[in-house]
Amino acid sequence: RVEMKLKGNKVNSVLNKLNVAQPGRRDTVERPACIPTAVLERRTRQDDTMADAERPLLERELEANHGGPGVYNIDLKKRYLLASDEWRHDVIPEIMNGKNVADFIDPDIEEKLAELEREEERLAAEGLYDSPEESEDEEERRIRDVARRIRQRKQVIANESRVKDVNRATLTIKQKAAASAPEDFVNHLQQLGLDPETAASTAQRIGRKRGRSESRDPAVLMARSSSLAARAVSTQRDRSTMGLKNARQKTVSDKKKLVSQRQMNLMARAGESDRKIGMKMPKHLVTGKRSIGSNDRR
């Protein structure tokens, strides 16, 4: 391609624009290459091997001599700048609360501990720590006996509370007294909101169902039929009137409800949990307006 281009006519228009400059000699001073003396000595040295004692070994050579990668661990302390080179590999003291931990370590602690244990065994064998029974007076024996009985009683109560069936419905003394007869049980169902016929039929049905059981106590029947009575009450009574004695209390409660909702309605709240704070003058709609004319933007 180059030869073809040289044969063309365009090369003449390019060659007349090129100038090959040849630098001239400035003076007669010789300026040879500057090579350090140590490099020249190394070049002239015949035996340049790893056994040369004058040349420091590289970390790569130390790694190869001490097991290779994964085995050799570089020594970071060998270049520490200390007052004495002998301090480089000393153990660094552990300081806690401003004190050297090594100052509180006894090197003979295990030997002293073994000696103390042998001495304790010898004193125990001699009976030094035996407490004679005659040293305990009558008052101390009475206190120990009372404490032992209290512990036993607490253990018995704890076992009874674990074994006792705690899932049964509990009745107060007033409920037990009110349920002394089946007629009282019917009256109790009527007070819960059941009509007389439904209350009587419920009592009879429960009595027939429990007729084969061991217990026919009305109090037990009332406790066992609490869930059935609750379901019957929920179907017979209006939940909005539950907990109110008469129509007057219902009227007062409705009025208080409306009063409490008045402020919420004025603020156009969705409910009691609506805490939204509306912006009266949004910045992006108010800033830069001109009052005169139809310009509503900047």
Side-chain angles (χ1 to χ4, degrees), residues 60-119:
R60 180 177 298 178
E61 297 172 353
L62 292 175
E63 180 183 16
N65 295 336
H66 294 82
V71 179
Y72 173 73
N73 189 13
I74 184 173
D75 186 8
L76 300 176
K77 296 182 180 181
K78 63 182 179 180
R79 290 185 175 84
Y80 281 2
L81 301 179
L82 302 176
S84 177
D85 296 341
E86 298 178 355
W87 300 348
R88 290 179 176 175
H89 295 85
D90 291 350
V91 178
I92 299 177
E94 183 177 357
I95 306 300
M96 183 176 182
N97 297 331
K99 298 179 180 180
N100 192 353
V101 178
D103 296 339
F104 298 89
I105 296 178
D106 188 358
D108 302 332
I109 186 66
E110 295 183 357
E111 183 179 353
K112 293 180 180 179
L113 177 61
E115 184 179 356
L116 284 176
E117 291 178 351
R118 289 193 297 270
E119 184 177 357

Side-chain angles (χ1 to χ4, degrees), residues 18 92 118 121-122 145 178 180 183 210 232 273 275:
L18 297 179
I92 299 177
R118 289 193 297 270
E121 293 176 358
R122 181 177 56 82
D145 185 53
S180 58
E183 294 78 8
R210 299 297 182 182
S273 61
R275 300 290 190 270

